[in-house]
Amino acid sequence: MRFSVTYRIFAPDLTEAKARAGAIALEQTVEIPRDVVPAGYIETEILGRIEEIGAEAEGRFRATISYSPDSAGRELAQFFNVIFGNSSIQRGLRVIAVDPGAEMTRRHPGPRFGIDGIRALCGRTHGGMIAPVLKPQGLNADALARLGYLCAKAGADVVKEDHGIMDQPMAPFRERVEKTVAAVARANAETGGRALYFPSLAGAPDQIEANIRFAKDAGADGLLVMPGLLGFGVVARIARDGALNMPVMTHPSFLGPYVLSPETGFDHGVMFGTLQRLAGADISVFPNVGGRFGFTAGDCAQIATACRDPNGPGRAMLPSPGGGMSVERAGDMAAMYGTDVVYLLGGSLLRLGERIGEGIAAMRAALDRVDG
Amino acid sequence: MRFSVTYRIFAPDLTEAKARAGAIALEQTVEIPRDVVPAGYIETEILGRIEEIGAEAEGRFRATISYSPDSAGRELAQFFNVIFGNSSIQRGLRVIAVDPGAEMTRRHPGPRFGIDGIRALCGRTHGGMIAPVLKPQGLNADALARLGYLCAKAGADVVKEDHGIMDQPMAPFRERVEKTVAAVARANAETGGRALYFPSLAGAPDQIEANIRFAKDAGADGLLVMPGLLGFGVVARIARDGALNMPVMTHPSFLGPYVLSPETGFDHGVMFGTLQRLAGADISVFPNVGGRFGFTAGDCAQIATACRDPNGPGRAMLPSPGGGMSVERAGDMAAMYGTDVVYLLGGSLLRLGERIGEGIAAMRAALDRVDG
């Protein structure tokens, strides 16, 4: 069964839109002129196929092109390469939907844990979840672990490291992971809670395997991964490892240009929902409306919908809006996101210093109020 | 010694541009509000520092911000994360220059081979180089190897696989590499030439190390890598391995959105020149003016300049324009790119079938004529 990608094509008329769709079907597969495509298997199976094309609005067309699983092979990188590799360099072309179909869903079954799995791990059976961020970069491992302790003690669901904390000399990955695992475990022992700790995965490609193993063996509960810098394949590599059995939270660093221009890249829901889910992320971080970035309420709603669409791909995952959250906005945020959501709580919490737990407790209370 | 990044900021006036530059300096490092930044090391060393800011044009400002090597650590991914991680999600902000400075150049010394190294490997001491592409996807390993033989026999400098050929069942990576190495070696033995063979590197993150080793041991001369899908770290991992000693050619797949909108992402020269060079690529492929993509002559000239700037970072590397090249255009192309360039020859060559060598020979003759 073929998978399909729906593109928005900006073109003056249907004739040109059709020509461009035909060019995409070539570009994403054989990458040779149409008249040189060999007859037989390559023409009938490998070559992209225009399944549907029509006008969306003046100057805007929507084309669905199907591709063969043979074209995508088994690696996530090649799957994404067929979806939008070279065509990402075309102007006036945006991916607005990906339907993996049965065969690609079998190869890339998505989140290992999903919403229910994460709730089971942290014991938060209902209501929005809270994920404070350990930072700033420059603190040593002891200071970061101390913050982790305070956050877990105060009722955080996921204690997450800042994506900018990798393997710098101030707080090397392994030292930090060991100390923070211990600190969060101590808090959990004191509260009887089950706060999860997700370190920010560091490591050059020839070290990352060992670092994943190290984090698992040290007792980390999951991993924060930046697919924009490490590659989406790293997310899939973790998600598909049943023996490892670790959830993944993905971070949008370096991915901004994929969504910012409406005439290139991916729709917000595809980039921060569908693609993250296909890669196997359980929690997808994105910039919340009202924070430091320019995502609109519509962009954020599209992402949350794509993360949680009950029709897949794979298990429903948790949207994780970062920034713009406060006790005062808890009601508005719950109205917008519902309860299957992980709120990142960032730098403003740090203003409280040793009283950071009070900020988390206040947010927990606000979310519990709106949860009823 | 700090490294610096120059951003183009789209803002109504200098006051707002300064405020935005200050926000970038925070965002890319500590990611907490300014008044929460701890005094001492974090404030004086880790926090980004505005070194220079001024107007470029109406509504456009240029800000140079310096960062600490401590902030970037030793991994390429974290270096790029500091350059533009979260700020890539800001509208009206574009990276127009990166100056790594002495310390980051020590950590990321760039291309292992560069222009001179590639010329020494393939024996083309002067004149433009030719890199035909083995495709289409869907051919089996024997057919691809046969094309490799014909191309090498005809005088190709680098026989490169299409980026869309990874590890699909039609031509699995290892079978393909073994057969094409043998085919190119046979051609070289017959001609006395030294055509290089660069397979397209396949493999999920936990297989890629073994595939790199396999390619080396099988006798491949270099590797084609897609940093947009596999991560720039894979380029650096190969380039920094002295025992491996393999050149890298990078491919722009999935990187389009980083350059297409003038108000986000990176300038063309930074993305397809500076960043590739910092990662350690020896040859950087990009879409040529006049081909299927919309890069202008100015975009392409900017890339070529960044690839070959004698002031670094690291060794000068080869720009590799793809598409838009023909015997008729050889003179124009040489006028544009000079001679330190690798021309990709793609799908139109395949029209020649078993006579593909004639196309390569004609291009070689055309380049030799313009080389004088």
Side-chain angles (χ1 to χ4, degrees):
Chain A
M1 184 182 166
R2 294 169 75 85
F3 65 96
S4 66
V5 182
T6 302
Y7 303 90
R8 177 168 295 138
I9 299 174
F10 295 81
D13 56 46
L14 185 61
T15 305
E16 180 160 333
K18 282 183 176 166
R20 290 199 54 201
I24 296 164
L26 289 163
E27 187 73 53
Q28 294 307 105
T29 56
V30 292
E31 218 197 322
I32 53 176
R34 182 66 185 87
D35 62 297
V36 187
V37 176
Y41 170 76
I42 294 180
E43 184 172 39
T44 59
E45 175 67 23
I46 291 297
L47 181 61
R49 193 185 296 157
I50 303 174
E51 302 288 352
E52 210 177 326
I53 184 162
E56 243 189 3
E58 179 74 29
R60 273 173 36 184
F61 299 83
R62 186 186 289 246
T64 297
I65 300 180
S66 74
Y67 301 103
S68 169
D70 282 3
S71 194
R74 301 198 163 269
E75 291 158 76
L76 190 78
Q78 177 56 17
F79 184 18
F80 285 13
N81 200 18
V82 175
I83 290 171
F84 206 42
N86 263 11
S87 289
S88 80
I89 318 174
Q90 295 285 359
R91 287 179 189 285
L93 183 65
R94 186 167 173 97
V95 175
I96 59 174
V98 176
D99 178 356
E103 177 55 28
M104 293 310 289
T105 301
R106 200 175 62 72
R107 296 182 193 182
H108 302 285
R112 175 169 295 278
F113 294 86
I115 296 174
D116 295 345
I118 296 291
R119 284 199 182 279
L121 286 177
C122 70
R124 181 77 56 199
T125 54
H126 59 95
M129 284 172 268
I130 295 175
V133 183
L134 306 185
K135 54 182 172 182
Q137 185 193 94
L139 291 181
N140 65 25
D142 290 312
L144 291 166
R146 170 76 186 159
L147 280 173
Y149 168 80
L150 294 171
C151 292
K153 183 83 189 248
D157 298 295
V158 178
V159 174
K160 162 202 168 288
E161 287 177 346
D162 188 48
H163 73 284
I165 295 180
M166 294 279 278
D167 197 26
Q168 294 99 328
M170 306 81 84
F173 179 73
R174 295 187 175 200
E175 180 193 349
R176 202 173 80 224
V177 170
E178 282 185 333
K179 289 183 168 168
T180 312
V181 163
V184 171
R186 184 159 66 88
N188 283 340
E190 291 170 7
T191 63
R194 280 188 269 158
L196 308 176
Y197 164 52
F198 283 42
S200 167
L201 181 60
D206 49 346
Q207 304 157 340
I208 213 159
E209 277 298 307
N211 281 354
I212 292 170
R213 284 277 142 214
F214 182 89
K216 175 68 179 181
D217 294 343
D221 299 291
L223 292 164
L224 179 83
V225 175
M226 297 182 287
L229 286 157
L230 302 179
F232 278 92
V234 170
V235 180
R237 179 261 166 274
I238 298 167
R240 296 281 62 78
D241 188 338
L244 188 72
N245 202 40
M246 287 181 100
V248 186
M249 183 179 214
T250 48
H251 189 280
S253 180
F254 219 71
L255 291 176
Y258 286 106
V259 300
L260 290 183
S261 161
E263 300 199 5
T264 183
F266 296 85
D267 263 2
H268 290 72
V270 178
M271 174 47 71
F272 296 114
T274 315
L275 294 189
Q276 309 290 337
R277 202 164 156 178
L278 284 170
D282 301 286
I283 309 173
S284 173
V285 176
F286 60 92
N288 196 15
V289 57
R292 303 186 302 278
F293 301 90
F295 282 24
T296 66
D299 297 336
C300 294
Q302 191 190 61
I303 293 168
T305 298
C307 287
R308 300 183 304 205
D309 180 353
N311 296 317
R315 290 189 173 85
M317 71 187 293
L318 288 156
S320 184
M325 181 61 169
S326 63
V327 168
E328 296 70 33
R329 288 185 79 199
D332 290 347
M333 290 294 104
M336 178 166 172
Y337 291 111
T339 56
D340 285 334
V341 56
V342 175
Y343 294 106
L344 280 202
L345 299 180
S348 56
L349 270 185
L350 293 181
R351 197 168 275 136
L352 301 171
E354 279 285 314
R355 291 167 43 238
I356 192 170
E358 294 175 22
I360 292 170
M363 192 68 75
R364 182 72 263 156
L367 288 174
D368 288 345
R369 274 195 303 277
V370 297
D371 190 39
Chain B
M1 185 184 165
R2 295 169 76 85
F3 65 97
S4 66
V5 182
T6 301
Y7 303 90
R8 177 169 293 137
I9 299 174
F10 295 80
D13 55 45
L14 184 61
T15 305
E16 180 160 333
K18 282 184 176 167
R20 289 199 57 201
I24 296 163
L26 288 163
E27 187 73 54
Q28 294 307 104
T29 55
V30 292
E31 219 198 319
I32 52 176
R34 182 64 185 86
D35 61 298
V36 187
V37 176
Y41 171 75
I42 295 180
E43 184 172 40
T44 58
E45 176 68 23
I46 292 298
L47 181 61
R49 194 184 296 158
I50 304 173
E51 301 288 353
E52 211 177 327
I53 183 164
E56 244 189 1
E58 180 74 30
R60 272 174 37 184
F61 299 83
R62 184 186 290 245
T64 298
I65 299 180
S66 74
Y67 301 103
S68 169
D70 282 4
S71 195
R74 301 201 161 269
E75 292 158 76
L76 190 78
Q78 177 56 17
F79 184 18
F80 284 14
N81 200 18
V82 175
I83 290 172
F84 207 42
N86 264 10
S87 289
S88 80
I89 318 173
Q90 295 284 359
R91 286 180 190 284
L93 183 65
R94 185 165 172 99
V95 175
I96 58 174
V98 176
D99 178 355
E103 178 54 28
M104 293 311 289
T105 301
R106 201 176 61 74
R107 296 183 193 182
H108 303 284
R112 175 169 296 278
F113 295 86
I115 297 173
D116 295 344
I118 297 290
R119 285 199 181 279
L121 286 177
C122 70
R124 180 78 54 201
T125 53
H126 59 94
M129 286 172 266
I130 295 176
V133 184
L134 306 184
K135 53 183 174 182
Q137 183 192 94
L139 291 182
N140 65 25
D142 289 314
L144 291 167
R146 170 76 185 156
L147 279 173
Y149 168 80
L150 294 171
C151 292
K153 183 85 189 247
D157 298 295
V158 178
V159 175
K160 162 203 170 286
E161 287 177 345
D162 188 48
H163 72 284
I165 295 180
M166 294 278 279
D167 197 26
Q168 293 99 329
M170 306 80 84
F173 179 73
R174 295 187 176 201
E175 180 192 350
R176 200 174 80 226
V177 169
E178 281 183 335
K179 288 182 170 169
T180 312
V181 163
V184 171
R186 184 160 64 90
N188 282 340
E190 290 169 8
T191 63
R194 279 187 267 158
L196 307 175
Y197 163 52
F198 283 43
S200 167
L201 180 61
D206 50 344
Q207 304 157 339
I208 213 158
E209 277 299 307
N211 281 354
I212 292 170
R213 283 278 142 214
F214 182 89
K216 175 68 179 181
D217 294 344
D221 299 290
L223 291 164
L224 178 82
V225 175
M226 297 181 287
L229 286 157
L230 302 179
F232 279 92
V234 170
V235 180
R237 179 260 167 274
I238 299 166
R240 296 281 63 78
D241 188 338
L244 188 72
N245 203 40
M246 288 181 99
V248 186
M249 183 180 213
T250 47
H251 189 281
S253 180
F254 218 70
L255 291 176
Y258 285 107
V259 300
L260 290 182
S261 161
E263 300 200 5
T264 183
F266 296 85
D267 264 1
H268 291 72
V270 178
M271 174 48 70
F272 297 113
T274 315
L275 296 188
Q276 310 289 338
R277 201 165 157 178
L278 283 170
D282 301 287
I283 308 173
S284 173
V285 175
F286 60 93
N288 196 15
V289 59
R292 304 186 301 278
F293 301 90
F295 282 23
T296 65
D299 297 336
C300 294
Q302 191 190 61
I303 294 167
T305 299
C307 287
R308 300 182 303 206
D309 180 352
N311 295 317
R315 289 188 174 87
M317 71 187 293
L318 287 156
S320 184
M325 181 60 169
S326 62
V327 168
E328 295 70 32
R329 289 186 79 200
D332 290 348
M333 291 293 105
M336 181 167 169
Y337 291 112
T339 55
D340 285 333
V341 56
V342 176
Y343 294 104
L344 281 203
L345 299 180
S348 57
L349 269 185
L350 294 181
R351 195 167 275 135
L352 301 171
E354 280 284 313
R355 291 168 42 241
I356 191 169
E358 294 175 22
I360 291 169
M363 192 68 75
R364 181 72 264 155
L367 287 174
D368 288 345
R369 272 196 301 279
V370 297
D371 190 39

